[in-house]
C-alpha cells in the first residue's frame, strides 16, 4: 500500500477529538490504532474527504512512501541481503491508479522482486493516511492510521502460486489488511509446512475483527493447534494482548508459550520486548526480555533534530528478523538459529527507522542501509552481553 504521512497532527486538536473513538471498535480515531475509511465514515456520518479536510486542512501529505507490513519488511530484507545469493519476492495486489504507479516506481529502485505483484483493474490501490503526533506520550510520539483496503479485498489464496511455497522462508505480513488471506491463514501455513518452509507471521492491528467482536480475542489461525504451523510470530504489545485474549504482556507471553508455536517476539515500542523459543527453530530459551538499543536512544536524546517518526518501525523490525533468518540459513539448521542475533538485527532496523519519516529507506547506493545498521547491531549485541554479565 501507499503511506500518506502527515507529520504534525495534534491528537489534542478539535478536529481529532471530534472524530475520536468513544469505545473500542466503534470506528473512531484512536492513537496507535488503525481504522478503515468506511468505518470512520459510518461512525462520524461524514465522508472521508470531509474528515480529512478537517484534520489537515489544505495541507498535502508531508511524505508519500511505500507502506504495508509485508512490503516494507521485505524491501528491508532485500536491501540487507542484496548481492548475497538471495531471491526475495513479494506477492500482493495493487490497484490500477497513480498510487500503484508510484509504488512500483519506488520499489523498482530496490532489490525486491515484484513480478508477482498483481493488478486489480477496478479497485484502488490500498492506502493508509498516517497521522503522526510527535509530541504524544511525553514526546515519544504516536501515529493513528486510516486505511482503505481497496484492491486487497480481491487477493485470494488461489492467487498465491506454487512459486510462493517453493521458498525456504515464507512470510505472511499484516494479513488482517488482506481479508481473504487472513481468513485462510491456517490453510496457507499448512501448505507452506508441507513444502518444509520456515513460516513467519508478523501481525497488524485487526480492526475488522475488533469491530466484529470487541470483547473477544482476534482470530489468527483457525484453531489453537494450528499455532504449531508458525515458526516465528512477531507482534506488538497490543496485538499480542488482543490475539491471546490476555490482559498483560506477561500473560500473553505465557499464553503463546503454552501453544506449540515455535518462536514469538512481542515488541513494545521503546520499552523492553519479550521473546521465546521452544527449540524447534531457534535454540531453546525460556521467556526472555530484551531492551531496545541504547545507541539509538542516546542519538535521539542528543540530536533531537534527527528524529523522524515511528511509522514503519515495527515493519522494519520484522524485516531485520527476516534478514537475519536469511543470513543464518547459510550455516545453521532448525533448532540452532540464534535468537539474540536475530533480535539484534530487528532492534537495529526498527531503531534506525526513527531517523526517517515513513517505513521504507531509499538507498542512494546498494549496501548503504546495511553499512548504517551493522555498527548499531554489533553495539546492541555488546549491550545485551554486558547486561547478562
Amino acid at each position: 500500500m501507499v503511506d500518506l504521512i502527515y507529520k504534525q497532527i495534534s491528537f489534542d486538536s478539535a478536529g481529532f477529538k471530534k472524530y475520536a473513538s468513544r469505545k473500542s471498535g466503534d470506528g473512531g480515531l484512536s492513537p496507535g490504532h488503525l481504522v478503515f475509511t468506511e468505518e470512520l465514515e459510518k461512525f462520524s456520518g461524514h465522508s472521508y474527504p470531509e474528515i480529512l479536510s478537517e484534520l489537515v486542512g489544505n495541507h498535502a501529505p508531508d511524505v508519500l512512501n511505500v507502506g504495508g507490513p509485508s512490503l516494507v519488511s521485505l524491501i528491508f530484507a532485500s536491501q540487507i541481503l542484496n548481492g548475497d545469493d538471495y531471491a526475495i519476492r513479494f506477492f500482493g495486489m495493487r490497484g490500477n491508479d497513480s498510487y500503484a504507479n508510484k509504488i512500483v516506481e519506488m520499489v523498482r529502485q530496490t532489490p525486491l522482486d515484484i513480478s508477482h505483484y498483481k493488478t486489480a483493474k477496478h479497485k484502488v490501490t490500498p492506502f493508509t493516511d498516517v497521522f503522526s503526533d510527535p509530541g504524544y506520550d511525553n514526546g515519544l510520539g504516536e501515529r493513528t492510521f486510516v486505511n482503505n483496503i481497496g484492491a486487497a479485498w480481491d487477493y485470494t489464496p488461489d492467487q498465491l502460486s506454487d512459486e510462493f511455497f517453493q521458498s525456504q522462508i515464507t512470510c505472511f505480513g499484516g494479513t488482517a489488511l488482506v481479508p481473504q488471506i487472513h481468513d485462510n491463514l491456517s490453510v496457507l501455513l499448512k501448505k507452506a509446512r508441507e513444502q518444509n518452509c520456515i513460516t513467519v507471521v508478523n501481525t497488524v492491528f485487526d480492526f475488522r475483527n475488533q469491530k466484529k467482536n470487541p470483547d473477544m480475542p482476534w482470530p489468527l489461525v483457525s484453531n489453537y493447534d494450528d499455532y504449531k504451523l508458525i515458526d516465528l510470530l512477531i507482534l506488538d504489545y497490543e496485538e499480542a494482548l488482543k490475539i491471546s485474549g490476555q490482559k498483560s504482556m506477561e500473560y500473553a507471553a505465557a499464553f503463546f508459550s503454552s501453544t506449540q508455536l515455535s518462536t514469538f517476539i512481542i515488541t513494545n515500542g521503546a520499552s523492553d520486548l519479550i521473546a521465546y523459543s521452544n527449540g524447534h527453530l531457534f535454540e531453546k530459551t525460556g521467556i526472555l526480555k530484551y531492551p531496545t538499543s541504547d545507541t539509538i536512544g542516546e542519538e535521539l536524546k542528543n540530536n533531537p533534530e534527527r528524529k523522524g517518526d515511528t511509522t514503519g518501525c515495527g515493519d522494519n523490525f520484522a524485516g531485520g528478523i527476516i534478514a537475519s533468518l536469511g543470513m543464518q540459513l547459510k550455516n545453521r539448521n532448525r533448532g540452532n538459529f540464534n535468537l539474540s542475533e536475530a533480535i539484534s538485527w530487528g532492534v537495529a532496523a526498527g531503531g534506525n527507522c526513527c531517523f526517517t519519516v515513513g517505513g521504507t529507506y531509499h538507498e542512494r547506493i546498494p549496501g548503504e542501509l546495511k553499512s548504517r545498521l551493522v555498527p548499531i547491531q554489533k553495539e546492541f549485541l555488546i549491550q545485551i552481553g554486558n547486561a547478562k554479565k
Side-chain angles (χ1 to χ4, degrees):
M1 67 183 67
V2 64
D3 280 345
L4 305 167
I5 303 169
Y6 299 86
K7 291 167 55 176
Q8 299 286 338
I9 304 298
S10 172
F11 296 164
D12 287 324
S13 67
F16 192 93
K17 287 183 175 180
K18 178 178 177 180
Y19 297 106
S21 173
R22 311 290 189 262
K23 63 179 182 179
S24 182
D26 63 6
L29 300 174
S30 181
H33 293 171
L34 177 146
V35 65
F36 296 141
T37 52
E38 56 265 39
E39 298 298 338
L40 182 56
E41 289 175 329
K42 291 177 185 176
F43 167 80
S44 66
H46 295 271
S47 70
Y48 185 62
E50 290 179 77
I51 298 169
L52 183 62
S53 179
E54 287 195 57
L55 292 172
V56 304
N58 295 321
H59 186 54
D62 294 288
V63 177
L64 185 154
N65 207 351
V66 176
S70 184
L71 184 54
V72 170
S73 62
L74 291 182
I75 287 173
F76 176 92
S78 74
Q79 291 169 324
I80 298 301
L81 300 177
N82 187 27
D84 286 333
D85 304 321
Y86 296 94
I88 303 178
R89 299 166 295 194
F90 173 72
F91 290 70
M93 180 75 78
R94 65 183 186 262
N96 184 21
D97 52 27
S98 61
Y99 283 161
N101 296 335
K102 289 175 181 177
I103 290 174
V104 169
E105 179 184 352
M106 288 188 282
V107 177
R108 281 182 176 159
Q109 297 173 39
T110 76
L112 184 65
D113 179 347
I114 55 170
S115 58
H116 297 275
Y117 190 19
K118 297 178 180 290
T119 301
K121 294 183 179 179
H122 304 295
K123 291 281 181 72
V124 299
T125 296
F127 70 85
T128 301
D129 282 333
V130 182
F131 304 110
S132 179
D133 182 348
Y136 188 79
D137 193 14
N138 297 314
L140 292 175
E142 187 52 279
R143 301 133 307 144
T144 296
F145 309 91
V146 180
N147 174 261
N148 189 317
I149 290 181
W153 281 113
D154 290 357
Y155 199 57
T156 67
D158 292 342
Q159 291 171 306
L160 279 177
S161 66
D162 289 341
E163 190 174 351
F164 177 82
F165 300 96
Q166 294 165 359
S167 305
Q168 289 171 288
I169 304 173
T170 53
C171 305
F172 298 89
T175 56
L177 301 179
V178 192
Q180 296 192 68
I181 298 296
H182 191 72
D183 294 344
N184 291 280
L185 186 57
S186 282
V187 173
L188 296 169
L189 289 166
K190 286 176 184 175
K191 188 171 181 180
R193 273 297 186 83
E194 288 168 359
Q195 299 299 316
N196 202 34
C197 304
I198 293 172
T199 56
V200 180
V201 176
N202 55 293
T203 59
V204 69
F205 190 88
D206 187 354
F207 181 80
R208 190 167 58 106
N209 281 300
Q210 179 65 19
K211 181 174 177 61
K212 188 185 299 181
N213 292 299
D215 299 320
M216 296 294 293
W218 296 343
L220 181 65
V221 288
S222 298
N223 57 69
Y224 182 85
D225 288 342
D226 286 347
Y227 277 105
K228 67 186 178 186
L229 301 171
I230 303 175
D231 285 308
L232 174 59
L233 177 62
I234 306 170
L235 326 86
D236 76 9
Y237 170 79
E238 184 164 21
E239 293 153 12
L241 299 192
K242 294 290 188 179
I243 292 169
S244 68
Q246 304 301 311
K247 299 296 185 183
S248 74
M249 194 162 170
E250 289 70 24
Y251 282 133
F255 167 82
F256 289 119
S257 65
S258 74
T259 71
Q260 295 184 61
L261 168 65
S262 177
T263 307
F264 65 81
I265 302 170
I266 305 173
T267 64
N268 192 16
S271 300
D272 289 351
L273 61 88
I274 291 179
Y276 165 86
S277 168
N278 68 6
H280 289 164
L281 179 62
F282 292 92
E283 295 168 344
K284 189 173 183 178
T285 71
I287 296 175
L288 303 175
K289 281 192 175 183
Y290 286 84
T292 52
S293 168
D294 287 345
T295 302
I296 298 292
E298 286 298 314
E299 182 65 23
L300 290 171
K301 179 181 177 181
N302 296 331
N303 299 284
E305 74 281 357
R306 290 197 62 202
K307 184 177 181 180
D309 76 344
T310 55
T311 303
C313 287
D315 302 338
N316 277 268
F317 178 93
I321 302 292
I322 293 165
S324 181
L325 278 176
M327 289 184 266
Q328 293 192 49
L329 268 175
K330 287 198 167 185
N331 51 31
R332 297 182 189 273
N333 298 317
R334 284 181 180 269
N336 294 313
F337 283 70
N338 186 295
L339 186 57
S340 292
E341 177 77 14
I343 287 174
S344 72
W345 277 100
V347 167
N352 181 70
C353 191
C354 293
F355 299 117
T356 62
V357 177
T360 297
Y361 185 88
H362 299 280
E363 294 182 302
R364 288 166 292 186
I365 57 172
E368 178 189 357
L369 181 58
K370 187 174 183 178
S371 69
R372 286 170 60 98
L373 291 188
V374 166
I376 301 170
Q377 180 258 341
K378 291 187 179 301
E379 287 163 4
F380 181 77
L381 285 175
I382 294 170
Q383 175 189 336
I384 61 175
N386 290 337
K388 291 176 181 178
K389 290 178 181 178

